[in-house]
Amino acid sequence: REKRPAHVIGPAGMGATTLLGRLRSRLDVEGYTVVAIDGAPYSSRGGALSAAEAGRSRAAPPSLLSRVDSLAQELLANDLRALIVDGIENVDGGTLRIIQAAATRTETPVVYSRGVAVSALMRSDVRYCRFPGTRLRLRPLDFTTTATLVADRLAGRPDVEVVSNVLSLSSGITGLILAIVDGVRDDGLVRLHEGRWLMTGRGLWSSGVEAWVERGLARLDLTPFEAIRHPALAHDSRPWAPCPLV
């Protein structure tokens, strides 16, 4: 509302997408023109804005300047306007140039999120140079907030052992906490007894958690994926040859 940009920082699963989605919904209700860019991993090489425009016409693709003009005109049609970029590390360079040029020309505040360090952005050739403005850092949940979230998800009071194990397995990452809770409930690893959720076994690893981890790994390029996979294999008793290379 003060036309200041904002910058949301947090690892994947901490809730940045949910936060920006709710912000967009609220701004829509208040009459804002909101242009939202979803920096999904599958779009990092495709060009979000250019791909969207290419789908509208079979003519030759418009120039970078014409795309900036088009976005600027859309924004200037309303005094209340904002740009939202979710997952800036996955946005291609062409789209970022369009966003920055149009935002500068129209004095439109940009709210963006990132889940990696600046050094990782540089290695991925992401160059975002506008003043970040207000910075909001999403932090892992502690025991008390984890207990509250688990109780809300289960619609009942969890035992201390359940909360402790959920926090230990999730490291307080919001999205992983929800995946764990949904998975253990679906797989019968917790049960409701006299108004309290109790563990039925020793662990909380479930098919739901496995799916959450696989989705996170799918975001990675081959090199960081192998860097994670090799140390993980070191927990196995077999002498995995690639491990010393990491």
Side-chain angles (χ1 to χ4, degrees):
R1 295 182 182 88
E2 298 175 359
K3 294 187 176 182
R4 295 178 59 199
H7 181 182
V8 181
I9 306 172
M14 286 302 300
T17 296
T18 300
L19 176 64
L20 294 186
R22 290 179 178 176
L23 172 63
R24 180 181 181 181
S25 297
R26 175 169 292 187
L27 294 178
D28 284 339
V29 170
E30 294 181 8
Y32 277 73
T33 292
V34 180
V35 176
I37 304 298
D38 177 17
Y42 51 77
S43 69
S44 59
R45 295 176 179 83
L49 289 179
S50 57
E53 291 197 7
R56 300 192 194 111
S57 173
R58 295 183 180 180
S63 66
L64 181 65
L65 182 58
S66 65
R67 293 192 186 105
V68 173
D69 290 340
S70 177
L71 180 57
Q73 290 174 7
E74 181 179 355
L75 293 169
L76 288 173
N78 190 348
D79 289 336
L80 301 175
R81 54 184 179 266
L83 276 160
I84 296 179
V85 183
D86 183 20
I88 196 169
E89 61 267 28
N90 295 313
V91 179
D92 65 286
T95 297
L96 281 176
R97 288 192 291 273
I98 294 169
I99 292 171
Q100 295 184 88
T104 300
R105 183 187 299 181
T106 61
E107 298 183 346
T108 298
V110 179
V111 181
Y112 73 92
S113 68
R114 65 176 171 88
V116 299
V118 172
S119 58
L121 292 181
M122 298 294 287
R123 286 194 296 269
S124 299
D125 198 31
V126 173
R127 303 291 187 269
Y128 187 82
C129 307
R130 289 178 56 79
F131 182 69
T134 302
R135 176 171 291 197
L136 172 64
R137 187 177 296 274
L138 302 179
R139 302 185 183 279
L141 304 186
D142 58 16
F143 184 89
T144 301
T145 50
T146 297
T148 300
L149 182 58
V150 172
D152 181 71
R153 196 69 166 186
L154 291 173
R157 181 182 176 187
D159 185 72
V160 172
E161 183 184 20
V162 173
V163 178
S164 298
N165 279 274
V166 169
L167 182 59
S168 176
L169 183 57
S170 69
S171 298
I173 297 176
T174 310
L176 184 51
I177 291 173
L178 297 177
I180 293 171
V181 174
D182 291 345
V184 297
R185 181 175 54 194
D186 294 343
D187 289 2
L189 299 178
V190 293
R191 63 185 177 89
L192 187 61
H193 178 70
E194 297 181 354
R196 178 178 296 185
W197 286 94
L198 305 174
M199 294 181 61
T200 62
R202 292 184 177 181
L204 297 179
W205 185 267
S206 67
S207 56
V209 176
E210 185 176 359
W212 192 93
V213 173
E214 288 177 350
R215 186 185 67 174
L217 292 175
R219 297 170 177 264
L220 302 177
D221 291 330
L222 182 59
T223 298
F225 173 78
E226 291 294 331
I228 291 174
R229 185 175 70 90
H230 292 164
L233 293 177
H235 291 283
D236 193 284
S237 59
R238 289 172 289 178
W240 290 94
C243 295
L245 301 177
V246 178

